Amino acid sequence: MNFASVRIITDDVDRLVEFYEKVTGIVAERPAPVFAEIVMGSGTLAIGHSQTAQLFGVDSVVAASNRTMIIELRVKNLEAEHERLKQWVDQWVQEPTLMPWGNRSMLFRDPDGNLVNLFEPVSEAAIERFRDR
C-alpha cells in the first residue's frame, strides 16, 4: 500500500490552489475546474470543490470545517520559509518553535482555516528519523 493524497474540500478551489502553490512553490495540476493536485515526491495535496463531495454522499464532507487534521510539510530551512510566507499567511498559530521531539515547527491556517505545520528536523534523533523519508 502507498500513501496517495490528502484532499481538502473547499468552496473556493482557486483561492486554496493559489495559497498552496505559494506555500509549496509547486504549480498545481488542474484536471478539472473543480479539482486540483499539488504533486510532491512524498504524496499529493488534492483540492476539490464542495460540489465534488456530493459524489461521496450528501453531507459527507463540509468545506472549511476542519479542526482535527494538520497538514504537515517538511522543509529544509524553517526560518527562511517563515520569512517568505509572512506576506501570504494571515493567521499564525505558532511562530517557529522547538518541539520536544526535535523538530522546529511553525503552524498557520490556510484561507479555509485548515491547520498547516511546516517543520524542520533539527535534533540528531529527528534528523535520523527522517533520513530515509
Side-chain angles (χ1 to χ4, degrees):
M1 185 180 302
N2 289 312
F3 180 78
S5 69
V6 168
R7 186 181 316 185
I8 300 172
I9 298 297
T10 182
D11 291 330
D12 192 339
V13 172
D14 293 335
R15 178 184 69 175
L16 272 193
V17 166
E18 180 182 0
F19 180 82
Y20 281 103
E21 284 178 333
K22 289 175 181 172
V23 169
T24 64
I26 298 169
V27 175
E29 297 176 14
R30 297 291 299 261
V34 295
F35 186 75
E37 294 179 313
I38 297 179
V39 180
M40 297 170 265
S42 55
T44 297
L45 178 61
I47 300 169
H49 195 277
S50 54
Q51 295 168 342
T52 65
Q54 300 308 310
L55 300 170
F56 309 125
V58 177
D59 296 327
S60 62
V61 181
V62 178
S65 63
N66 175 49
R67 288 289 187 248
T68 60
M69 182 182 70
I70 303 172
I71 298 165
E72 297 189 307
L73 303 168
R74 186 178 59 200
V75 299
K76 291 184 181 189
N77 185 329
L78 188 72
E79 300 302 328
E81 293 298 329
H82 183 245
E83 285 302 313
R84 184 180 70 82
L85 293 173
K86 281 182 180 178
Q87 62 184 320
W88 293 305
V89 173
D90 292 329
Q91 187 178 358
W92 291 95
V93 176
Q94 180 183 66
E95 297 290 323
T97 302
L98 180 61
M99 305 308 285
W101 43 89
N103 295 336
R104 275 193 56 75
S105 176
M106 65 182 183
L107 288 100
F108 53 90
R109 295 204 180 274
D110 74 12
D112 275 6
N114 299 301
L115 196 57
V116 180
N117 175 31
L118 268 56
F119 73 94
E120 174 186 3
V122 294
S123 74
E124 195 172 307
I127 291 167
E128 183 61 31
R129 191 169 56 251
F130 285 98
R131 186 172 314 286
D132 295 326
R133 294 190 205 176

